[in-house]
Amino acid sequence: MASAGESFFEGAEKLLEVWFEFDDDSLESSLRSIDRKVWEDLLKVVKCEIISRTADEDMDAYVLSESSMFVTKDRFILKTCGTTTLLYAVKPLIKLVKEKCRLKQILDIFYSRKNFSRPDLQIGMHRNFSDEVSHLDKQFRNGAAYSLGRINQDCWYLYTLDNAGVERPDQTFELLMWDMCREKMRVFTKDVSENGLDATKRSGICDIIPGAKIDEFLFEPCGYSMNGLLPGGYYITIHVTPEEEFSYVSFESNVPRESYDELVKKVLEVFRPGKFLMTIFANKASVAKDCHKEINDAESLQGYVRQDHQFCIFKNYNLTYTMYSRPIL
Amino acid sequence: MASAGESFFEGAEKLLEVWFEFDDDSLESSLRSIDRKVWEDLLKVVKCEIISRTADEDMDAYVLSESSMFVTKDRFILKTCGTTTLLYAVKPLIKLVKEKCRLKQILDIFYSRKNFSRPDLQIGMHRNFSDEVSHLDKQFRNGAAYSLGRINQDCWYLYTLDNAGVERPDQTFELLMWDMCREKMRVFTKDVSENGLDATKRSGICDIIPGAKIDEFLFEPCGYSMNGLLPGGYYITIHVTPEEEFSYVSFESNVPRESYDELVKKVLEVFRPGKFLMTIFANKASVAKDCHKEINDAESLQGYVRQDHQFCIFKNYNLTYTMYSRPIL
């Protein structure tokens, strides 16, 4: 995802998730009725483009030049790294959904990101979370902005709506990893792997959640993106920035788990980060709604030491934020 | 605490708590051996002065022109409102303790404050939490900065050290209240109360924690400050800014409680805020260490609705932050 000439690439993604409610159940009342051309135009605003598309009964999944996009009937997810300008697309997104579909209301919004390594290289409002918040506040009433973790070290920002939100079970699990194992990262270069599929197999990504329909891409000369689709409307998405000077990997999924322990273990084995942060969102109807309890009690995880742990109760969602680092021996 | 001619007064305090460890148990190895004159000089840096002093076996308590100061053998607490410049005193404080006492190390530091109503009226670094953090980061390794609550609405900032910290039981309970009941605030004016003692009685403050040795002051034409000392090294401190346009009250105490429910009830009855935030710090040895559990489960408190709830685990302390507002009928 970084080209050879660049001295730095910001792996940390901007992540937007929007839940829509429509007037009826007609064909037009679905985001999936929107033409690819319309999405392509929207992505121009963000400064990225579609590389590949896969789909199943429940969603369309796109691998982008900078990360991923997922479109279901009523949920839109856009995750973009580098110096993309994701939040500039929020207003156009809502406008196009109003035009193309029978929009009743926006049920919920989640915009989140880790603090950037080089905020100075970002464009416009993305240099600064408070500018991003001001931009979103102009479009939404009831927007609530938070920072979790240490503002002066590693932290994670969130903007969401103080709404009743999504009623059906929903959960999002993220592992954002950095200071990666050099050896593990070599797989995600053209020197070692032939193509995306080869990297998926060699890395062990194919075994993290078996049975997923995977669409992946290995960038030239290095960098990797994958989307995985699972029956029932579940997705996985992984993005790898392997360069040692700014290595970064993200794992995200909405698979429901009462405990994410096993999944964490598998992801850490594949990537071996020096540090990582874990966020888990779970609404009241989710099987994951109590998984913060075991995390509250655990001062270490798979050999990593907990640096920070915060638990938040929102109107409809519980959120845990935990940051871990490999102990210095 | 506001004079008649001012159109605005910032009631929200800056609060600094520093724990020191000394080389030995000699008389000089105590903050209480430091002369009043030295404290007075330090307070000049902060732009406030001593109004009154009281003391017991465990501590010296000072009512200041802007809030309070408490000095025990090894703990220093300074709480100042208005446009005082508290953090400018951190370096001089450490310098004077090194000079006067046999300082071994700084065990822990807590700097906290609510977001200001008018940050633009603050002086220098106090306009901005990130500037305050930069200032503290120059003096301490392992400083960790957090914001709890909504950055774009009501929030509370904290800077602390990622240290093993204080071993003996320690807890701090704070209620920061605003949008106060107009009727309740009248007691804290010279129109209604003769002096501090009169206001303490009329308001019901004397009944919040009975048995305290109270030192209070009623400002001209309005405003109130009190320090209360309890056997065993416990204190209470209350500060009232009664003006309707910017009403604000703070309650702080280190009394240990397994549950703070009863105390909250009493404080709310005395002041009837429209909104308030509650913070509870409790270290591993404190009886209050599990009190977050009942707060996690309570979506309302004494008729107030919970707006935000966050729970943090630090190396040695648990912290809960909860913000409540009166339901709009």
Side-chain angles (χ1 to χ4, degrees):
Chain A
M1 297 166 92
S3 66
E6 283 179 343
S7 58
F8 177 80
F9 185 83
E10 188 72 68
E13 297 99 344
K14 306 163 184 92
L15 173 59
L16 176 71
E17 180 170 321
V18 188
W19 290 80
F20 297 93
E21 189 178 7
F22 298 108
D23 280 333
D24 53 43
D25 258 338
S26 67
L27 266 183
E28 282 160 27
S29 286
S30 167
L31 301 175
R32 298 185 78 189
S33 70
I34 294 168
D35 287 345
R36 174 164 171 158
K37 177 72 178 65
V38 176
W39 295 126
E40 284 172 347
D41 286 344
L42 184 73
L43 291 172
K44 280 179 192 155
V45 178
V46 183
K47 299 190 199 300
C48 66
E49 54 193 42
I50 295 170
I51 285 180
S52 172
R53 173 183 176 272
T54 188
D56 70 2
E57 208 177 302
D58 298 293
M59 71 180 100
D60 302 309
Y62 300 86
V63 174
L64 307 179
S65 54
E66 275 91 359
S67 307
S68 290
M69 178 168 79
F70 295 90
V71 180
T72 68
K73 186 180 180 307
D74 55 1
R75 187 195 62 208
F76 174 83
I77 296 175
L78 182 56
K79 183 171 204 168
T80 68
C81 59
T83 56
T84 48
T85 52
L86 189 151
L87 286 183
Y88 291 89
V90 173
K91 205 183 271 186
L93 169 71
I94 294 168
K95 185 164 172 281
L96 81 85
V97 173
K98 273 184 186 159
E99 281 168 10
K100 307 278 180 190
C101 308
R102 293 187 183 132
L103 181 63
K104 188 175 172 188
Q105 62 169 327
I106 290 167
L107 269 187
D108 219 336
I109 281 187
F110 302 91
Y111 172 70
S112 65
R113 64 172 179 86
K114 190 186 172 307
N115 64 303
F116 293 127
S117 294
R118 295 286 307 273
D120 54 306
L121 298 181
Q122 292 293 316
I123 294 167
M125 69 173 115
H126 289 297
R127 282 190 203 113
N128 197 309
F129 184 58
S130 58
D131 290 343
E132 295 175 326
V133 171
S134 301
H135 180 82
L136 291 166
D137 274 344
K138 280 177 205 145
Q139 288 164 78
F140 304 104
R141 284 175 303 165
N142 277 335
Y146 303 88
S147 73
L148 301 178
R150 302 182 190 181
I151 303 173
N152 58 343
Q153 293 173 43
D154 292 301
C155 67
W156 184 79
Y157 298 109
L158 170 69
Y159 186 95
T160 186
L161 301 186
D162 184 24
N163 268 1
V166 179
E167 278 180 24
R168 63 181 191 265
D170 180 50
Q171 55 284 316
T172 302
F173 169 84
E174 268 195 296
L175 278 187
L176 309 183
M177 301 165 265
W178 61 103
D179 289 357
M180 307 304 297
C181 167
R182 194 175 167 175
E183 203 46 50
K184 292 283 188 185
M185 288 298 99
R186 291 192 61 242
V187 176
F188 304 101
T189 65
K190 283 273 166 99
D191 287 347
V192 171
S193 295
E194 245 176 83
N195 53 32
L197 178 62
D198 192 25
T200 301
K201 285 181 183 163
R202 283 174 188 264
S203 61
I205 284 175
C206 54
D207 302 319
I208 293 178
I209 300 184
K213 180 179 180 181
I214 292 180
D215 184 20
E216 68 268 275
F217 192 80
L218 184 64
F219 291 79
E220 181 74 51
C222 66
Y224 170 91
S225 283
M226 78 80 96
N227 294 331
L229 296 183
L230 291 150
Y234 301 114
Y235 68 89
I236 322 165
T237 185
I238 297 175
H239 301 281
V240 180
T241 302
E243 291 93 329
E244 199 180 0
E245 304 73 30
F246 41 87
S247 63
Y248 173 87
V249 176
S250 71
F251 176 93
E252 177 190 340
S253 180
N254 68 339
V255 293
R257 296 280 189 271
E258 273 183 56
S259 160
Y260 285 92
D261 254 19
E262 272 307 302
L263 184 55
V264 170
K265 192 177 171 184
K266 284 183 175 181
V267 176
L268 294 177
E269 273 168 10
V270 169
F271 298 110
R272 276 203 220 132
K275 293 179 178 174
F276 68 96
L277 67 84
M278 175 170 76
T279 63
I280 305 173
F281 268 108
N283 70 2
K284 305 270 191 279
S286 166
V287 296
K289 77 172 170 15
D290 287 325
C291 71
H292 61 275
K293 289 180 183 170
E294 74 177 13
I295 304 166
N296 279 353
D297 294 336
E299 290 185 15
S300 66
L301 184 72
Q302 309 293 348
Y304 289 80
V305 175
R306 184 170 70 190
Q307 298 253 306
D308 264 306
H309 174 66
Q310 290 176 261
F311 169 62
C312 308
I313 300 179
F314 301 129
K315 211 166 245 168
N316 190 33
Y317 281 85
N318 287 341
L319 166 68
T320 66
Y321 165 96
T322 319
M323 195 240 146
Y324 299 88
S325 67
R326 193 188 291 284
I328 298 152
L329 301 175
Chain B
M1 295 164 94
S3 66
E6 282 181 344
S7 58
F8 177 81
F9 186 83
E10 189 72 68
E13 297 98 345
K14 305 162 184 93
L15 173 59
L16 176 72
E17 180 171 320
V18 187
W19 290 80
F20 297 93
E21 190 178 9
F22 298 108
D23 281 333
D24 54 42
D25 259 337
S26 68
L27 265 183
E28 282 160 28
S29 286
S30 168
L31 302 175
R32 297 187 78 189
S33 69
I34 295 169
D35 288 343
R36 175 165 169 153
K37 177 72 179 66
V38 176
W39 294 127
E40 283 171 347
D41 287 344
L42 184 73
L43 291 173
K44 280 179 193 154
V45 177
V46 183
K47 300 190 198 301
C48 65
E49 55 192 40
I50 295 169
I51 286 180
S52 173
R53 174 184 175 274
T54 188
D56 70 3
E57 207 177 303
D58 299 292
M59 71 180 98
D60 301 309
Y62 300 85
V63 174
L64 307 179
S65 53
E66 275 92 359
S67 307
S68 289
M69 178 168 79
F70 295 90
V71 180
T72 69
K73 185 180 183 305
D74 56 1
R75 188 195 60 207
F76 175 83
I77 297 175
L78 183 54
K79 184 172 202 166
T80 68
C81 58
T83 55
T84 47
T85 52
L86 189 149
L87 286 183
Y88 292 89
V90 172
K91 205 183 271 186
L93 168 71
I94 294 167
K95 185 164 173 278
L96 81 87
V97 173
K98 273 184 187 159
E99 281 167 12
K100 308 277 178 190
C101 307
R102 293 187 183 133
L103 182 63
K104 187 174 173 190
Q105 62 168 328
I106 290 167
L107 270 187
D108 219 335
I109 282 189
F110 301 91
Y111 172 69
S112 66
R113 64 172 178 86
K114 190 187 171 307
N115 63 303
F116 293 128
S117 294
R118 295 286 307 273
D120 55 306
L121 297 179
Q122 292 294 317
I123 293 167
M125 70 174 113
H126 289 298
R127 282 189 204 113
N128 198 308
F129 183 58
S130 58
D131 290 345
E132 294 175 327
V133 171
S134 301
H135 181 81
L136 291 165
D137 274 345
K138 278 177 205 145
Q139 289 164 78
F140 305 104
R141 284 175 305 164
N142 276 335
Y146 302 88
S147 72
L148 301 178
R150 302 183 190 181
I151 303 172
N152 58 342
Q153 293 173 42
D154 293 301
C155 68
W156 184 78
Y157 298 110
L158 170 70
Y159 185 96
T160 185
L161 301 184
D162 185 24
N163 267 1
V166 179
E167 277 180 26
R168 64 181 191 268
D170 180 47
Q171 55 285 314
T172 303
F173 170 83
E174 267 195 296
L175 277 188
L176 309 182
M177 300 165 266
W178 61 102
D179 289 357
M180 307 303 295
C181 168
R182 194 175 168 178
E183 202 47 47
K184 293 283 188 185
M185 288 298 100
R186 292 193 62 240
V187 176
F188 305 101
T189 65
K190 282 275 167 93
D191 287 346
V192 171
S193 295
E194 246 176 82
N195 52 34
L197 178 61
D198 192 24
T200 301
K201 285 181 184 163
R202 283 175 189 264
S203 62
I205 285 175
C206 54
D207 302 319
I208 293 177
I209 300 184
K213 181 178 181 183
I214 291 180
D215 184 19
E216 69 268 278
F217 193 79
L218 185 64
F219 291 80
E220 181 74 51
C222 67
Y224 170 92
S225 283
M226 79 80 96
N227 293 331
L229 296 182
L230 291 150
Y234 302 114
Y235 68 89
I236 322 165
T237 185
I238 297 175
H239 302 281
V240 180
T241 302
E243 291 93 329
E244 199 181 358
E245 303 73 31
F246 41 88
S247 63
Y248 172 88
V249 175
S250 71
F251 176 95
E252 177 189 339
S253 181
N254 68 339
V255 291
R257 296 280 188 272
E258 274 183 56
S259 160
Y260 285 92
D261 255 18
E262 272 307 302
L263 184 55
V264 170
K265 192 178 171 185
K266 284 183 174 178
V267 176
L268 294 178
E269 272 168 11
V270 168
F271 297 111
R272 276 204 219 131
K275 294 179 177 175
F276 68 96
L277 67 84
M278 175 171 78
T279 63
I280 305 172
F281 269 108
N283 71 2
K284 306 268 191 277
S286 165
V287 295
K289 77 171 170 17
D290 287 325
C291 72
H292 61 276
K293 288 180 182 170
E294 74 178 12
I295 304 166
N296 279 353
D297 294 335
E299 291 185 14
S300 66
L301 185 71
Q302 309 293 345
Y304 289 81
V305 175
R306 184 169 71 188
Q307 299 252 305
D308 263 306
H309 174 66
Q310 289 177 260
F311 169 63
C312 307
I313 300 179
F314 301 129
K315 212 166 244 169
N316 191 34
Y317 281 85
N318 287 341
L319 167 67
T320 65
Y321 165 95
T322 320
M323 194 240 147
Y324 299 88
S325 67
R326 192 189 291 284
I328 296 153
L329 300 176

PDB file of all heavy atoms in Angstrom, chain B residues 11-32:
ATOM      1  N   GLY B  11     -15.983  28.973  37.619  1.00  0.00           N
ATOM      2  CA  GLY B  11     -16.025  28.212  38.865  1.00  0.00           C
ATOM      3  C   GLY B  11     -15.199  26.925  38.791  1.00  0.00           C
ATOM      4  O   GLY B  11     -14.599  26.498  39.776  1.00  0.00           O
ATOM      5  N   ALA B  12     -15.178  26.307  37.626  1.00  0.00           N
ATOM      6  CA  ALA B  12     -14.493  25.013  37.474  1.00  0.00           C
ATOM      7  C   ALA B  12     -13.029  25.125  37.883  1.00  0.00           C
ATOM      8  O   ALA B  12     -12.294  25.961  37.375  1.00  0.00           O
ATOM      9  CB  ALA B  12     -14.612  24.520  36.033  1.00  0.00           C
ATOM     10  N   GLU B  13     -12.623  24.245  38.797  1.00  0.00           N
ATOM     11  CA  GLU B  13     -11.277  24.329  39.360  1.00  0.00           C
ATOM     12  C   GLU B  13     -10.248  23.497  38.602  1.00  0.00           C
ATOM     13  O   GLU B  13     -10.577  22.463  38.038  1.00  0.00           O
ATOM     14  CB  GLU B  13     -11.262  23.821  40.810  1.00  0.00           C
ATOM     15  CG  GLU B  13     -12.098  24.625  41.776  1.00  0.00           C
ATOM     16  CD  GLU B  13     -13.454  23.991  42.018  1.00  0.00           C
ATOM     17  OE1 GLU B  13     -13.856  23.105  41.236  1.00  0.00           O
ATOM     18  OE2 GLU B  13     -14.112  24.395  42.992  1.00  0.00           O
ATOM     19  N   LYS B  14      -9.020  23.944  38.704  1.00  0.00           N
ATOM     20  CA  LYS B  14      -7.863  23.118  38.373  1.00  0.00           C
ATOM     21  C   LYS B  14      -7.476  22.414  39.683  1.00  0.00           C
ATOM     22  O   LYS B  14      -7.410  23.060  40.723  1.00  0.00           O
ATOM     23  CB  LYS B  14      -6.705  24.008  37.912  1.00  0.00           C
ATOM     24  CG  LYS B  14      -7.082  24.933  36.756  1.00  0.00           C
ATOM     25  CD  LYS B  14      -6.115  26.090  36.583  1.00  0.00           C
ATOM     26  CE  LYS B  14      -6.577  27.031  35.505  1.00  0.00           C
ATOM     27  NZ  LYS B  14      -7.393  28.167  36.044  1.00  0.00           N
ATOM     28  N   LEU B  15      -7.243  21.123  39.614  1.00  0.00           N
ATOM     29  CA  LEU B  15      -6.964  20.372  40.842  1.00  0.00           C
ATOM     30  C   LEU B  15      -5.670  19.575  40.703  1.00  0.00           C
ATOM     31  O   LEU B  15      -5.524  18.755  39.810  1.00  0.00           O
ATOM     32  CB  LEU B  15      -8.132  19.406  41.131  1.00  0.00           C
ATOM     33  CG  LEU B  15      -7.944  18.422  42.292  1.00  0.00           C
ATOM     34  CD1 LEU B  15      -7.702  19.139  43.606  1.00  0.00           C
ATOM     35  CD2 LEU B  15      -9.170  17.509  42.415  1.00  0.00           C
ATOM     36  N   LEU B  16      -4.739  19.857  41.617  1.00  0.00           N
ATOM     37  CA  LEU B  16      -3.446  19.153  41.609  1.00  0.00           C
ATOM     38  C   LEU B  16      -3.264  18.396  42.916  1.00  0.00           C
ATOM     39  O   LEU B  16      -3.453  18.960  43.995  1.00  0.00           O
ATOM     40  CB  LEU B  16      -2.313  20.177  41.454  1.00  0.00           C
ATOM     41  CG  LEU B  16      -0.883  19.617  41.514  1.00  0.00           C
ATOM     42  CD1 LEU B  16      -0.559  18.823  40.258  1.00  0.00           C
ATOM     43  CD2 LEU B  16       0.126  20.758  41.687  1.00  0.00           C
ATOM     44  N   GLU B  17      -2.919  17.115  42.808  1.00  0.00           N
ATOM     45  CA  GLU B  17      -2.611  16.328  44.007  1.00  0.00           C
ATOM     46  C   GLU B  17      -1.256  15.659  43.763  1.00  0.00           C
ATOM     47  O   GLU B  17      -1.069  14.991  42.754  1.00  0.00           O
ATOM     48  CB  GLU B  17      -3.722  15.284  44.225  1.00  0.00           C
ATOM     49  CG  GLU B  17      -3.508  14.419  45.444  1.00  0.00           C
ATOM     50  CD  GLU B  17      -4.733  13.534  45.788  1.00  0.00           C
ATOM     51  OE1 GLU B  17      -5.880  13.995  45.685  1.00  0.00           O
ATOM     52  OE2 GLU B  17      -4.507  12.374  46.163  1.00  0.00           O
ATOM     53  N   VAL B  18      -0.322  15.880  44.677  1.00  0.00           N
ATOM     54  CA  VAL B  18       1.009  15.292  44.521  1.00  0.00           C
ATOM     55  C   VAL B  18       1.341  14.481  45.777  1.00  0.00           C
ATOM     56  O   VAL B  18       1.170  14.966  46.902  1.00  0.00           O
ATOM     57  CB  VAL B  18       2.098  16.375  44.321  1.00  0.00           C
ATOM     58  CG1 VAL B  18       3.450  15.718  43.985  1.00  0.00           C
ATOM     59  CG2 VAL B  18       1.712  17.361  43.229  1.00  0.00           C
ATOM     60  N   TRP B  19       1.791  13.250  45.562  1.00  0.00           N
ATOM     61  CA  TRP B  19       2.229  12.384  46.663  1.00  0.00           C
ATOM     62  C   TRP B  19       3.747  12.288  46.636  1.00  0.00           C
ATOM     63  O   TRP B  19       4.325  11.920  45.614  1.00  0.00           O
ATOM     64  CB  TRP B  19       1.633  10.982  46.518  1.00  0.00           C
ATOM     65  CG  TRP B  19       0.160  10.922  46.767  1.00  0.00           C
ATOM     66  CD1 TRP B  19      -0.828  11.269  45.900  1.00  0.00           C
ATOM     67  CD2 TRP B  19      -0.493  10.468  47.957  1.00  0.00           C
ATOM     68  NE1 TRP B  19      -2.055  11.071  46.475  1.00  0.00           N
ATOM     69  CE2 TRP B  19      -1.882  10.570  47.739  1.00  0.00           C
ATOM     70  CE3 TRP B  19      -0.043   9.983  49.198  1.00  0.00           C
ATOM     71  CZ2 TRP B  19      -2.831  10.202  48.711  1.00  0.00           C
ATOM     72  CZ3 TRP B  19      -0.987   9.614  50.153  1.00  0.00           C
ATOM     73  CH2 TRP B  19      -2.355   9.732  49.920  1.00  0.00           C
ATOM     74  N   PHE B  20       4.359  12.581  47.781  1.00  0.00           N
ATOM     75  CA  PHE B  20       5.816  12.542  47.895  1.00  0.00           C
ATOM     76  C   PHE B  20       6.258  11.353  48.746  1.00  0.00           C
ATOM     77  O   PHE B  20       5.528  10.919  49.652  1.00  0.00           O
ATOM     78  CB  PHE B  20       6.325  13.826  48.566  1.00  0.00           C
ATOM     79  CG  PHE B  20       6.047  15.071  47.781  1.00  0.00           C
ATOM     80  CD1 PHE B  20       4.897  15.831  48.009  1.00  0.00           C
ATOM     81  CD2 PHE B  20       6.932  15.514  46.800  1.00  0.00           C
ATOM     82  CE1 PHE B  20       4.641  16.990  47.285  1.00  0.00           C
ATOM     83  CE2 PHE B  20       6.685  16.675  46.076  1.00  0.00           C
ATOM     84  CZ  PHE B  20       5.536  17.411  46.318  1.00  0.00           C
ATOM     85  N   GLU B  21       7.459  10.853  48.463  1.00  0.00           N
ATOM     86  CA  GLU B  21       8.061   9.868  49.366  1.00  0.00           C
ATOM     87  C   GLU B  21       9.379  10.450  49.879  1.00  0.00           C
ATOM     88  O   GLU B  21      10.156  11.000  49.085  1.00  0.00           O
ATOM     89  CB  GLU B  21       8.311   8.542  48.641  1.00  0.00           C
ATOM     90  CG  GLU B  21       8.719   7.425  49.609  1.00  0.00           C
ATOM     91  CD  GLU B  21       8.928   6.082  48.907  1.00  0.00           C
ATOM     92  OE1 GLU B  21       8.925   6.059  47.665  1.00  0.00           O
ATOM     93  OE2 GLU B  21       9.112   5.082  49.602  1.00  0.00           O
ATOM     94  N   PHE B  22       9.602  10.336  51.188  1.00  0.00           N
ATOM     95  CA  PHE B  22      10.798  10.930  51.783  1.00  0.00           C
ATOM     96  C   PHE B  22      11.809   9.860  52.193  1.00  0.00           C
ATOM     97  O   PHE B  22      11.469   8.684  52.317  1.00  0.00           O
ATOM     98  CB  PHE B  22      10.406  11.804  52.975  1.00  0.00           C
ATOM     99  CG  PHE B  22       9.520  12.956  52.569  1.00  0.00           C
ATOM    100  CD1 PHE B  22       8.168  12.968  52.905  1.00  0.00           C
ATOM    101  CD2 PHE B  22      10.030  14.009  51.815  1.00  0.00           C
ATOM    102  CE1 PHE B  22       7.343  14.008  52.499  1.00  0.00           C
ATOM    103  CE2 PHE B  22       9.213  15.055  51.419  1.00  0.00           C
ATOM    104  CZ  PHE B  22       7.864  15.052  51.757  1.00  0.00           C
ATOM    105  N   ASP B  23      13.041  10.334  52.425  1.00  0.00           N
ATOM    106  CA  ASP B  23      14.123   9.402  52.764  1.00  0.00           C
ATOM    107  C   ASP B  23      13.947   8.752  54.125  1.00  0.00           C
ATOM    108  O   ASP B  23      14.376   7.628  54.356  1.00  0.00           O
ATOM    109  CB  ASP B  23      15.470  10.143  52.765  1.00  0.00           C
ATOM    110  CG  ASP B  23      15.988  10.335  51.361  1.00  0.00           C
ATOM    111  OD1 ASP B  23      15.628   9.509  50.497  1.00  0.00           O
ATOM    112  OD2 ASP B  23      16.723  11.305  51.122  1.00  0.00           O
ATOM    113  N   ASP B  24      13.351   9.501  55.057  1.00  0.00           N
ATOM    114  CA  ASP B  24      13.243   8.994  56.429  1.00  0.00           C
ATOM    115  C   ASP B  24      12.000   9.573  57.092  1.00  0.00           C
ATOM    116  O   ASP B  24      11.180  10.212  56.437  1.00  0.00           O
ATOM    117  CB  ASP B  24      14.507   9.375  57.207  1.00  0.00           C
ATOM    118  CG  ASP B  24      14.776  10.873  57.122  1.00  0.00           C
ATOM    119  OD1 ASP B  24      13.808  11.668  57.239  1.00  0.00           O
ATOM    120  OD2 ASP B  24      15.943  11.260  56.906  1.00  0.00           O
ATOM    121  N   ASP B  25      11.857   9.338  58.383  1.00  0.00           N
ATOM    122  CA  ASP B  25      10.690   9.811  59.114  1.00  0.00           C
ATOM    123  C   ASP B  25      10.990  11.034  59.981  1.00  0.00           C
ATOM    124  O   ASP B  25      10.242  11.350  60.897  1.00  0.00           O
ATOM    125  CB  ASP B  25      10.121   8.680  59.990  1.00  0.00           C
ATOM    126  CG  ASP B  25       8.913   8.040  59.335  1.00  0.00           C
ATOM    127  OD1 ASP B  25       8.281   8.728  58.496  1.00  0.00           O
ATOM    128  OD2 ASP B  25       8.591   6.880  59.659  1.00  0.00           O
ATOM    129  N   SER B  26      12.076  11.719  59.662  1.00  0.00           N
ATOM    130  CA  SER B  26      12.459  12.870  60.476  1.00  0.00           C
ATOM    131  C   SER B  26      11.426  14.000  60.325  1.00  0.00           C
ATOM    132  O   SER B  26      10.600  13.986  59.414  1.00  0.00           O
ATOM    133  CB  SER B  26      13.822  13.378  60.028  1.00  0.00           C
ATOM    134  OG  SER B  26      13.716  13.931  58.731  1.00  0.00           O
ATOM    135  N   LEU B  27      11.492  14.954  61.231  1.00  0.00           N
ATOM    136  CA  LEU B  27      10.580  16.100  61.204  1.00  0.00           C
ATOM    137  C   LEU B  27      10.654  16.852  59.885  1.00  0.00           C
ATOM    138  O   LEU B  27       9.657  17.324  59.361  1.00  0.00           O
ATOM    139  CB  LEU B  27      10.926  17.059  62.358  1.00  0.00           C
ATOM    140  CG  LEU B  27      10.121  16.871  63.644  1.00  0.00           C
ATOM    141  CD1 LEU B  27      10.518  17.932  64.652  1.00  0.00           C
ATOM    142  CD2 LEU B  27       8.616  16.921  63.367  1.00  0.00           C
ATOM    143  N   GLU B  28      11.891  16.940  59.361  1.00  0.00           N
ATOM    144  CA  GLU B  28      12.068  17.665  58.097  1.00  0.00           C
ATOM    145  C   GLU B  28      11.473  16.930  56.916  1.00  0.00           C
ATOM    146  O   GLU B  28      11.249  17.517  55.866  1.00  0.00           O
ATOM    147  CB  GLU B  28      13.566  17.869  57.826  1.00  0.00           C
ATOM    148  CG  GLU B  28      14.170  18.980  58.636  1.00  0.00           C
ATOM    149  CD  GLU B  28      15.677  18.826  58.704  1.00  0.00           C
ATOM    150  OE1 GLU B  28      16.259  18.247  57.771  1.00  0.00           O
ATOM    151  OE2 GLU B  28      16.253  19.281  59.705  1.00  0.00           O
ATOM    152  N   SER B  29      11.289  15.624  57.087  1.00  0.00           N
ATOM    153  CA  SER B  29      10.724  14.843  55.997  1.00  0.00           C
ATOM    154  C   SER B  29       9.202  14.898  56.050  1.00  0.00           C
ATOM    155  O   SER B  29       8.517  13.881  56.053  1.00  0.00           O
ATOM    156  CB  SER B  29      11.217  13.406  56.074  1.00  0.00           C
ATOM    157  OG  SER B  29      12.566  13.359  55.650  1.00  0.00           O
ATOM    158  N   SER B  30       8.694  16.112  56.104  1.00  0.00           N
ATOM    159  CA  SER B  30       7.249  16.314  56.110  1.00  0.00           C
ATOM    160  C   SER B  30       6.939  17.653  55.469  1.00  0.00           C
ATOM    161  O   SER B  30       7.598  18.666  55.765  1.00  0.00           O
ATOM    162  CB  SER B  30       6.709  16.287  57.538  1.00  0.00           C
ATOM    163  OG  SER B  30       5.368  16.768  57.544  1.00  0.00           O
ATOM    164  N   LEU B  31       5.940  17.659  54.618  1.00  0.00           N
ATOM    165  CA  LEU B  31       5.532  18.933  54.001  1.00  0.00           C
ATOM    166  C   LEU B  31       5.040  19.911  55.057  1.00  0.00           C
ATOM    167  O   LEU B  31       5.068  21.125  54.851  1.00  0.00           O
ATOM    168  CB  LEU B  31       4.403  18.691  52.982  1.00  0.00           C
ATOM    169  CG  LEU B  31       4.716  17.724  51.832  1.00  0.00           C
ATOM    170  CD1 LEU B  31       3.455  17.519  50.993  1.00  0.00           C
ATOM    171  CD2 LEU B  31       5.844  18.267  50.968  1.00  0.00           C
ATOM    172  N   ARG B  32       4.602  19.387  56.211  1.00  0.00           N
ATOM    173  CA  ARG B  32       4.039  20.259  57.240  1.00  0.00           C
ATOM    174  C   ARG B  32       5.125  21.063  57.960  1.00  0.00           C
ATOM    175  O   ARG B  32       4.818  21.987  58.716  1.00  0.00           O
ATOM    176  CB  ARG B  32       3.219  19.434  58.230  1.00  0.00           C
ATOM    177  CG  ARG B  32       2.026  18.785  57.536  1.00  0.00           C
ATOM    178  CD  ARG B  32       1.119  18.101  58.512  1.00  0.00           C
ATOM    179  NE  ARG B  32       0.264  19.047  59.222  1.00  0.00           N
ATOM    180  CZ  ARG B  32      -0.504  18.722  60.250  1.00  0.00           C
ATOM    181  NH1 ARG B  32      -0.481  17.477  60.725  1.00  0.00           N
ATOM    182  NH2 ARG B  32      -1.273  19.625  60.834  1.00  0.00           N
TER     183      ARG B  32
END
